Amino acid sequence: MKAQEGRTLSRRIPRILLAAPASGSGKTLITCGILQALVNRGMKVASFKCGPDYIDPMFHGRVIGTRSRNIDTFFTDAETTRALFAKNTADCDVAVAEGVMGYYDGLGGVSTEGSTYEVARTLEMPTALIVNCRGASLSVGAVIRGFLEYREDSRIRGVILNQISPMIYGQLKPLLERELGVRVLGYVPKLEELTLESRHLGLVLPGEIDALREKLGHLAAVLEETLDLDGLLELAGESGPLAWREPSLPALAPQGGKPVRIAVARDDAFCFTYLDNLELLERMGAELVYFSPLRDRELPEGISGLILSGGYPELHGEALSANGSMRRSIREALEGGLPCIAECGGFLYLHRELEDQGGVFRPMVGAVPARAFRTDRLGRFGYITLTAREDQLLGAAGTQIRGHEFHYWDSERCGESFHAKKPVGKREWDCVVGNASLYAGFPHLFFWSNPQAAFAYLKKCEEYGSC
């Protein structure tokens, strides 16, 4: 059953994008401090991260408490990007987005497609450029002018100066505003004690949350003194109304009140999930039931489908292996034809054996008859377009869906159900162990890049449940 064409809607959404000339400029730390400061003011904040990122939004939600999602113009066209942004900003006072890499850096490093700049244009967002002043003073004016003028409509309306002394800032601010005509929204002093440490794929353990909240509370207090947060909010408030079209989506027909129940793995080992993916399944008629492969003894009852998210199974190899009843429950369900999507960490969990973080090979589910092992580098990192080489769970041969890979582990059997191709360059490869009831591979999918593929999965779940 296909939903009727959606209406065109419009709403004023105060919004601001925080970008930088390059990675390492301090935008993640400053964004987190600004988010914390706004939350401390009692504001309802929607936060976003540009690019294929579920880690920073998870951090924002767990530590700061904002409603957080990613924005990615490679995954979704302009109309869908605006619709998702509008949905995720409902009932919020302001939306704050953090850019990725350098402001103009897009696909392959030689295009603005998929860049933070493209997000700013698509969502008509004013941008504040965070400029690291370490080792420079007046020269930052040349950097700012270059970014203002590199594209005709840069969307850059403000500047934040990072790692600069109060004395130099006091001299630079009026000069930059006079010569460049851009609003200088404050500075961030050198804060050696306030850093967000690099960690295994951004891992935040439950015991760290209180310490991180204390650190961000301190940072927010500093930024209240050194940034013009009222000016930043004023800039966000200058955003014009954003227009979008409600997406037209297929939906499951009611089956006598019996929902299609999908079991979704969610615990410390399986936590990398695009929430927009799950909400799309719900909009199409699915009922999601969460469970823990670490703690629960078997799959939930009455399910018609399974999603094994990405995450950190390698950090929990001993516990996952010790839970033999869950491994057996999943293996028997898959042998019985239960439709399953297993991405990256979920794919590793389905192997016969998985090498854990300590180098020990642990027995896992056994649905993929191969070993998964650690490597010393990121494998096949970045955006890809997947094309089905055969009829399988997500649709007929030729079905396309976009996603990305990010993993240090590899497999003796990566599969060949799909063909992956990088958006720029010549690199391509086969991947995904797939059939009529299984998608298992390293690529993380973004369902909104092809909702019909997600719906094909739900239809298979519906068929399984009716048997």
Side-chain angles (χ1 to χ4, degrees):
M1 181 174 72
K2 190 173 183 179
Q4 295 182 346
E5 283 292 322
R7 301 167 295 163
T8 297
L9 302 174
S10 178
R11 186 173 78 241
R12 182 178 170 276
I13 305 169
R15 54 197 185 274
I16 188 76
L17 193 153
L18 303 174
S23 295
S25 299
K27 63 179 179 292
T28 295
L29 182 67
I30 293 171
T31 298
C32 288
I34 290 172
L35 291 173
Q36 188 66 64
L38 298 180
V39 168
N40 291 350
R41 288 184 174 195
M43 299 186 71
K44 293 178 65 176
V45 184
S47 61
F48 296 85
K49 177 62 187 282
C50 298
D53 193 332
Y54 31 72
I55 296 172
D56 280 356
M58 182 171 66
F59 182 91
H60 294 166
R62 285 187 178 183
V63 179
I64 303 172
T66 58
R67 179 194 300 173
S68 191
R69 297 290 189 275
N70 81 306
I71 317 171
D72 195 305
T73 54
F74 172 75
F75 285 161
T76 53
D77 59 28
E79 199 68 62
T80 304
T81 302
R82 287 192 288 268
L84 288 175
F85 182 79
K87 175 180 70 71
N88 289 319
T89 53
D91 303 321
C92 286
D93 299 319
V94 65
V96 178
E98 179 193 346
V100 62
M101 301 175 62
Y103 187 50
Y104 293 110
D105 297 334
L107 299 182
V110 294
S111 165
T112 59
E113 184 181 353
S115 67
T116 302
Y117 165 69
E118 187 175 69
V119 170
R121 286 173 54 85
T122 299
L123 298 177
E124 302 168 25
M125 298 180 80
T127 296
L129 189 71
I130 297 169
V131 182
N132 192 329
C133 300
R134 184 174 183 179
S137 55
L138 183 58
S139 293
V140 303
V143 174
I144 295 167
R145 182 181 292 280
F147 274 81
L148 287 169
E149 298 179 357
Y150 184 67
R151 287 291 185 266
E152 184 175 351
D153 180 16
S154 71
R155 308 293 307 181
I156 297 171
R157 303 291 184 265
V159 174
I160 294 172
L161 304 183
N162 187 27
Q163 295 203 65
I164 190 170
S165 72
M167 183 182 69
I168 297 296
Y169 172 76
Q171 297 172 327
L172 276 182
K173 173 180 165 65
L175 188 153
L176 294 175
E177 290 185 330
R178 182 177 65 251
E179 293 191 356
L180 303 179
V182 67
R183 191 181 311 185
V184 179
L185 296 165
Y187 72 100
V188 181
K190 296 178 181 179
L191 300 169
E192 302 293 344
E193 76 282 8
L194 291 177
T195 59
L196 295 179
E197 297 176 4
S198 177
R199 57 191 65 235
H200 177 75
L201 300 181
L203 176 62
V204 178
L205 297 173
E208 295 180 288
I209 291 178
D210 287 343
L212 285 167
R213 285 176 178 160
E214 181 179 353
K215 180 180 290 189
L216 289 180
H218 182 196
L219 175 60
V222 171
L223 297 188
E224 280 282 6
E225 297 295 324
T226 66
L227 292 187
D228 181 6
L229 291 178
D230 291 331
L232 192 74
L233 290 172
E234 181 181 326
L235 189 60
E238 293 174 3
S239 307
L242 183 71
W244 74 94
R245 179 178 292 276
E246 288 184 329
S248 178
L249 297 173
L252 297 172
Q255 298 289 328
K258 182 181 178 182
V260 173
R261 304 180 78 231
I262 309 295
V264 180
R266 185 168 68 179
D267 57 22
D268 289 343
F270 302 97
C271 51
F272 290 171
T273 304
Y274 286 116
L275 297 181
D276 283 325
N277 280 357
L278 302 181
E279 290 171 2
L280 176 60
L281 296 179
E282 290 179 318
R283 290 178 67 172
M284 290 178 171
E287 176 187 326
L288 304 184
V289 182
Y290 296 96
F291 77 103
S292 169
L294 281 170
R295 296 182 297 272
D296 296 332
R297 307 307 298 169
E298 58 186 20
L299 288 170
E301 294 183 0
I303 61 170
S304 301
L306 173 63
I307 294 178
L308 295 170
S309 308
Y312 310 113
E314 67 277 11
L315 299 185
H316 302 273
E318 184 176 5
L320 289 170
S321 182
N323 193 351
S325 63
M326 175 59 77
R327 293 192 289 114
R328 183 168 56 254
S329 176
I330 293 175
R331 183 175 62 254
E332 291 175 353
L334 297 188
E335 290 172 349
L338 179 72
C340 173
I341 294 175
E343 298 177 336
C344 203
F347 173 51
L348 295 177
Y349 180 51
L350 290 186
H351 278 68
R352 181 181 66 245
E353 287 185 303
L354 167 64
E355 183 181 8
D356 67 14
Q357 183 78 359
V360 178
F361 280 90
R362 308 280 186 181
M364 292 291 145
V365 171
V368 176
R371 285 178 135 199
F373 53 90
R374 183 178 183 173
T375 70
D376 59 359
R377 60 186 176 86
L378 277 174
R380 301 181 292 280
F381 168 68
Y383 288 124
I384 51 175
T385 296
L386 292 165
T387 303
R389 300 180 67 244
E390 57 193 3
D391 296 351
Q392 39 65 54
L393 178 62
L394 302 184
T399 295
Q400 288 194 332
I401 189 167
R402 292 186 171 188
H404 74 283
E405 291 198 24
F406 188 103
H407 52 93
Y408 287 89
W409 266 246
D410 214 327
S411 170
E412 294 174 341
R413 185 182 176 189
C414 291
E416 54 187 24
S417 182
F418 279 82
H419 188 72
K421 190 175 189 311
K422 302 285 284 183
V424 176
K426 299 180 180 180
R427 193 173 182 202
E428 51 190 285
W429 61 92
D430 290 337
C431 58
V432 180
V433 176
N435 54 44
S437 62
L438 180 65
Y439 170 97
F442 282 114
H444 294 270
L445 306 175
F446 197 74
F447 291 166
W448 281 95
S449 67
N450 183 358
Q452 289 292 340
F455 187 63
Y457 165 70
L458 287 186
K459 289 296 292 182
K460 293 286 180 65
C461 295
E462 183 181 56
E463 293 170 9
Y464 175 88
S466 64
C467 294

